[in-house]
Amino acid sequence: MSKLIVSFIFFISISVLSQTSVQNPNKIYVCPPCASSCDTIEFNKPETCTHCNMKLISKEQLKKNTPKRKKIAFYLQPGIEILDFAGPMEVFAYANFEVFTVSKTKDPIVSQGILKILPDYDIKDAPQADILAFFGGNSSTAFNDAEVINWIKTQQKTQYHFSVCTGAFALAKSGVLNGKTATTFHSALNKLEKEYPEINVRKDVRFVDNGKVITTAGISAGIDGALHLVAKLRGFNEARKIAYHMEYDKWTPGEGLILSDDNPYEKIKNSKHLETYTGIYKYLNNTTVELKMNTREKSLYAVVDGMNYPIFHVKNTTFTNIADHEITFIMDKNKDITGFTSSEHPNTLFHKLSK
């Protein structure tokens, strides 16, 4: 068992950090934002967060490298479907988006007769958002409200519109979907098509990306659409990390209709070259690590003690792992992989044992 634990270091650090021991008293290290409680913890050593296993960075690096947070407004209405908004909320929180809730009033909302929600804002005081998101559940009442639809129309600085399930009717009613292609919950497809003939309704896709407007099918499909939007804005690797953290192993990247030019999956269309890296590699203390292709994701995973850990392609023969440790593979003159080095052991070559 001790050997297996050692091999884990390559893919996900399990170092125990002491927040009291000081390596550099003038430098403070923090966890890259992951929407967990550890985001507020400060460390004295540049190792790995003991809570989420992400590689710690200095506060200076955080300020320099962290992109401007996208503000996303979740419009919620009484009777809203829980997973419609909770699934995407989880995705966007992991992506470090600034998520806030809006409703017509600040009165408590009851979701499916179970969950009570207090909106952060109403439509009179809600701040400007980069992304507006709408969800299913009692949508026929909420989105036939003239005040709500007018509020949507007045949000002129919105960069993206996003809907899950019958939330698409908010975008249809407000004119956002005019002349566009869209989808919605399976039992509402015919209604959307009949009531809004100017919309090209697709009944056979998990989501539709028009560029600045993304609509998804029902309930769980919202997670796919949210991961897709993160991939567009933050890159495919970031979306993979989030899917891994959520243990959402049903995500098939690009499993939707993408009508925009900014397709985040263009590079993985030619992922066959990744098969070159598959095989068994030697590691510390006579342990081994196996790299395998995940055909669904068209990406590499490391298999350690029966568990899968994602490996992220950066460029050429350079990859990173879930803890952001750099991995560089070595090729011979025939372009065959002979081994790798890691940022933790830069002077050691770990040989490839077999394909």
Side-chain angles (χ1 to χ4, degrees):
M1 183 64 187
S2 61
K3 292 181 179 180
L4 287 173
I5 292 175
V6 172
S7 67
F8 274 36
I9 299 174
F10 173 60
F11 300 103
I12 187 167
S13 175
I14 58 169
S15 301
V16 177
L17 285 176
S18 172
Q19 297 177 47
T20 57
S21 62
V22 177
Q23 176 169 309
N24 184 342
N26 298 319
K27 215 161 195 179
I28 297 174
Y29 297 88
V30 294
C31 172
C34 64
S36 298
S37 59
C38 53
D39 287 351
T40 60
I41 300 176
E42 295 183 347
F43 300 83
N44 295 317
K45 297 170 68 177
E47 297 185 10
T48 304
C49 178
T50 53
H51 300 266
C52 69
N53 292 311
M54 294 183 73
K55 186 179 179 181
L56 298 174
I57 60 175
S58 68
K59 273 195 168 182
E60 291 79 5
Q61 284 178 296
L62 180 65
K63 291 179 181 179
K64 181 179 179 181
N65 300 333
T66 303
K68 183 180 178 181
R69 296 179 73 193
K70 290 288 186 184
K71 293 184 178 182
I72 179 166
F74 275 43
Y75 184 87
L76 308 182
Q77 68 275 357
I80 191 169
E81 158 65 43
I82 295 174
L83 189 56
D84 269 13
F85 75 90
M89 185 175 282
E90 187 87 3
V91 172
F92 295 129
Y94 268 121
N96 197 34
F97 286 20
E98 184 180 334
V99 183
F100 58 88
T101 56
V102 183
S103 193
K104 183 177 179 179
T105 70
K106 291 190 179 76
D107 293 338
I109 293 168
V110 179
S111 174
Q112 295 180 299
I114 304 169
L115 179 67
K116 291 183 179 179
I117 306 162
L118 289 175
D120 296 317
Y121 302 97
D122 59 34
I123 58 176
K124 294 179 181 179
D125 66 2
Q128 177 65 48
D130 301 306
I131 306 163
L132 284 182
F134 300 90
F135 310 92
N138 199 25
S139 59
S140 60
T141 299
F143 304 140
N144 280 329
D145 189 312
E147 287 185 69
V148 174
I149 297 304
N150 184 61
W151 174 75
I152 299 172
K153 291 179 178 180
T154 61
Q155 304 303 296
Q156 298 297 319
K157 294 183 180 180
T158 299
Q159 298 171 15
Y160 292 88
H161 288 88
F162 177 83
S163 74
V164 179
C165 196
T166 53
F169 283 84
L171 303 184
K173 189 79 174 179
S174 60
V176 173
L177 288 178
N178 286 352
K180 293 182 172 61
T181 302
T183 193
T184 186
F185 188 50
H186 57 79
S187 66
L189 286 163
N190 290 338
K191 180 181 179 182
L192 184 65
E193 187 176 50
K194 181 179 179 180
E195 294 185 2
Y196 300 94
E198 64 276 19
I199 300 173
N200 177 21
V201 178
R202 289 294 298 266
K203 304 178 180 181
D204 57 348
V205 293
R206 198 142 173 87
F207 68 81
V208 177
D209 175 7
N210 290 276
K212 299 296 184 181
V213 181
I214 297 172
T215 57
T216 82
I219 311 178
S220 66
I223 299 175
D224 299 65
L227 287 168
H228 174 67
L229 183 53
V230 169
K232 279 167 65 80
L233 298 177
R234 300 282 297 277
F236 174 53
N237 283 344
E238 184 67 20
R240 279 190 71 207
K241 286 180 183 179
I242 293 169
Y244 170 76
H245 280 301
M246 291 177 62
E247 297 198 71
Y248 187 57
D249 58 0
K250 305 302 180 186
W251 180 49
T252 301
E255 190 182 35
L257 178 61
I258 302 172
L259 302 174
S260 63
D261 294 329
D262 55 339
N263 186 336
Y265 317 108
E266 284 293 339
K267 291 182 179 179
I268 69 170
K269 287 182 179 178
N270 301 315
S271 59
K272 193 170 180 62
H273 73 282
L274 294 178
E275 294 178 3
T276 306
Y277 300 92
T278 61
I280 298 174
Y281 294 80
K282 188 176 182 180
Y283 198 57
L284 298 173
N285 298 336
N286 296 318
T287 59
T288 60
V289 171
E290 183 178 8
L291 294 191
K292 285 187 174 182
M293 278 290 295
N294 181 308
T295 55
R296 174 178 50 80
E297 279 189 13
K298 297 181 181 179
S299 301
L300 280 178
Y301 274 77
V303 182
V304 182
D305 193 26
M307 296 182 65
N308 293 322
Y309 297 91
I311 304 298
F312 307 99
H313 186 223
V314 179
K315 63 179 180 179
N316 301 326
T317 59
T318 301
F319 293 72
T320 58
N321 61 17
I322 195 66
D324 288 332
H325 297 138
E326 192 171 279
I327 304 157
T328 304
F329 289 89
I330 310 301
M331 283 186 173
D332 62 20
K333 61 181 180 180
N334 297 318
K335 295 189 175 181
D336 291 325
I337 300 296
T338 59
F340 70 86
T341 60
S342 73
S343 58
E344 298 211 358
H345 306 282
N347 298 318
T348 304
L349 174 63
F350 299 101
H351 292 280
K352 188 174 185 179
L353 301 177
S354 65
K355 293 183 178 180

